[in-house]
Amino acid sequence: MGILDKLTEKKTGELGFNLVDAQGRSCGILEAGGVSPTGALELMRGDLTEVLYKSADAFANVTYRFETTIHSLRQSQDKVTVDLEHRNDRSITTEEFDLVVGADGARSRTRQLVLGSPEELNCLKPLGAYVAYFSIPEEEHDLPYSRLCHFTGRRLIWMRPVGLGSKTTSVYLIHLHDDLPNLRRANAAGDRRKQKEAFAELYSGLGWETPRVIEQMMRAENFYSDELTQVKLPKWSQNRVVLLGDAAWAPTPFTGQGNQLAIIGAWVLAQELSRNRNTTAFERYETRLRSYVEDGQSIPLGGYAPYLFNPQTSWGVWLFRTIFRVVSWTVRFVTWTQLANLLPEQSHPEFDLEIDKVHGEGVR
């Protein structure tokens, strides 16, 4: 795609991962890369979006329309008629398209218009976890490592530096619980104030940086909260409309595959459309990608990883910190002694982006 250099320029200042206790004492540090939660190339979602947007916008045949959503659509044999709603004045205009790609997230309106409601499809699979994301003013000790602290009741706070030139710190609240009616109602209604109040109540009275986080959360303008839910569909397209990314297969952050699957999915769909400007492209796109996506939706350790990494009891939190301390020191020792050079390289699932190898000689 030719954007690696631009992405590298946008990388955050996060040098690694630091697990801390409720008094702020470090339980161990993992430097970026390898087994660390901090990847070798850490990017803020907004920066990734900006690079992709500008790269696509450079092409003369690409047009962006902001504050515009699909109100309704109708399909015929050779076109899709779409009613577009403009949010600024609520006006509606009608246009015709050859094909429509719905990449509008796990709660996709495009999916609902074409395939049916989530209840009809039974496509939303809640994982019993609630998350909140927002930014707070940066303090000096927020750099250079991200810091995570566990609390009993399967609650955690993860604070991550945004970048060396930024004045904010990114905060993630994750709470595993399948019975939080107040928060569920607030999320369903999209009531940001009640969402914040629900999280403030859940984290009230806890140690570490919790008072600072709650205070700044109530002021945060970029606050977002939702229940983590996977999307699983028997088919990703209908006639001239196809789904992409979370709208088709939301894996959730527990898999660590969201951005990767979305970008690879877009690449494969674009490849297939370059060969077939019709619905055949949708069929080949799904044939090539589905098994890879289903593997990517698998939550590590048979689905138990979120519970093992976010303990319920004080004993569980202590045990996790103890194990992490051993792991961090082992990794440092292996790195220092260069024993890692003697170990076999880890293999990661790869996706073959070469279209000809998939289709065979018949398409050459």
Side-chain angles (χ1 to χ4, degrees):
M1 296 171 66
I3 60 173
L4 181 58
D5 289 342
K6 295 178 182 178
L7 293 177
T8 302
E9 293 173 1
K10 297 284 187 178
K11 66 186 297 185
T12 70
E14 185 175 325
L15 299 184
F17 174 84
N18 183 11
L19 183 70
V20 301
D21 62 18
Q23 287 73 45
R25 298 171 298 197
S26 176
C27 300
I29 293 175
L30 292 175
E31 303 294 336
V35 298
S36 174
T38 302
L41 179 59
E42 284 291 339
L43 297 166
M44 295 303 296
R45 187 182 186 91
D47 291 333
L48 173 61
T49 301
E50 180 184 7
V51 171
L52 293 173
Y53 159 70
K54 289 183 176 179
S55 298
D57 196 43
F59 292 89
N61 62 343
V62 173
T63 301
Y64 281 92
R65 301 187 187 181
F66 298 101
E67 298 298 325
T68 304
T69 60
I70 296 178
H71 180 269
S72 60
L73 57 79
R74 300 168 296 284
Q75 299 191 67
S76 64
Q77 186 174 354
D78 60 351
K79 64 184 178 182
V80 185
T81 303
V82 182
D83 297 322
L84 298 171
E85 180 176 352
H86 308 280
R87 291 181 175 176
N88 292 333
D89 57 8
R90 296 297 182 183
S91 63
I92 294 179
T93 58
T94 302
E95 298 186 34
E96 294 181 352
F97 300 90
D98 295 327
L99 304 167
V100 171
V101 179
D104 46 347
R107 313 289 177 179
S108 171
R109 176 167 175 78
T110 307
R111 183 183 65 223
Q112 182 165 331
L113 290 171
V114 175
L115 300 179
S117 69
E119 292 74 22
E120 293 172 321
L121 298 171
N122 190 30
C123 64
L124 300 183
K125 311 297 180 182
L127 300 183
Y130 293 83
V131 296
Y133 312 100
F134 52 95
S135 299
I136 65 176
E138 181 186 85
E139 295 186 1
E140 185 177 355
H141 59 274
D142 292 339
L143 289 167
Y145 297 102
S146 71
R147 296 174 297 149
L148 185 147
C149 185
H150 291 101
F151 304 98
T152 57
R154 302 197 190 282
R155 294 168 290 181
L156 66 79
I157 297 177
W158 192 3
M159 302 177 66
R160 310 187 71 175
V162 172
L164 295 175
S166 174
K167 296 182 179 180
T168 61
T169 294
S170 185
V171 178
Y172 306 80
L173 306 182
I174 303 177
H175 180 37
L176 272 64
H177 201 296
D178 58 5
D179 186 23
L180 296 173
N182 291 341
L183 187 52
R184 179 168 290 163
R185 283 193 295 268
N187 284 339
D191 190 323
R192 183 175 296 184
R193 180 180 62 81
K194 289 185 177 179
Q195 289 172 331
K196 290 181 177 182
E197 290 175 350
F199 270 102
E201 181 179 357
L202 288 170
Y203 282 79
S204 177
L206 301 181
W208 190 48
E209 302 252 7
T210 303
R212 170 194 172 197
V213 167
I214 292 177
E215 178 183 356
Q216 296 298 332
M217 175 185 69
M218 302 305 292
R219 303 173 183 172
E221 296 182 357
N222 64 344
F223 177 92
Y224 173 80
S225 171
D226 202 358
E227 181 177 8
L228 292 184
T229 303
Q230 289 193 329
V231 173
K232 296 189 176 183
L233 292 169
K235 189 173 177 60
W236 298 340
S237 65
Q238 184 190 81
N239 300 331
R240 292 182 166 272
V241 180
V242 66
L243 301 174
L244 173 66
D246 282 359
W249 59 66
T252 76
F254 286 160
T255 68
Q257 299 293 316
N259 287 335
Q260 174 174 298
L261 290 178
I263 292 173
I264 290 177
W267 178 273
V268 172
L269 180 58
Q271 278 186 326
E272 296 298 345
L273 285 170
S274 71
R275 296 294 182 94
N276 298 278
R277 298 299 180 92
N278 53 49
T279 57
T280 300
F282 298 166
E283 296 171 4
R284 291 185 170 182
Y285 149 74
E286 183 165 348
T287 298
R288 289 178 61 189
L289 202 60
R290 178 169 281 278
S291 62
Y292 185 75
V293 165
E294 290 177 349
D295 288 343
Q297 285 184 311
S298 299
I299 297 174
L301 302 179
Y304 287 100
Y307 297 93
L308 295 176
F309 288 100
N310 199 359
Q312 170 70 24
T313 65
S314 56
W315 181 86
V317 171
W318 173 86
L319 180 61
F320 183 88
R321 290 171 179 165
T322 301
I323 294 174
F324 185 87
R325 185 175 286 110
V326 173
V327 169
S328 66
W329 277 106
T330 301
V331 170
R332 286 192 173 195
F333 176 76
V334 170
T335 302
W336 178 68
T337 59
Q338 297 185 343
L339 286 176
N341 296 331
L342 304 177
L343 300 176
E345 292 186 5
Q346 292 184 339
S347 60
H348 300 279
E350 294 184 355
F351 183 84
D352 189 354
L353 294 174
E354 296 298 325
I355 188 171
D356 288 347
K357 292 181 181 179
V358 177
H359 290 172
E361 297 182 359
V363 299
R364 298 188 182 198

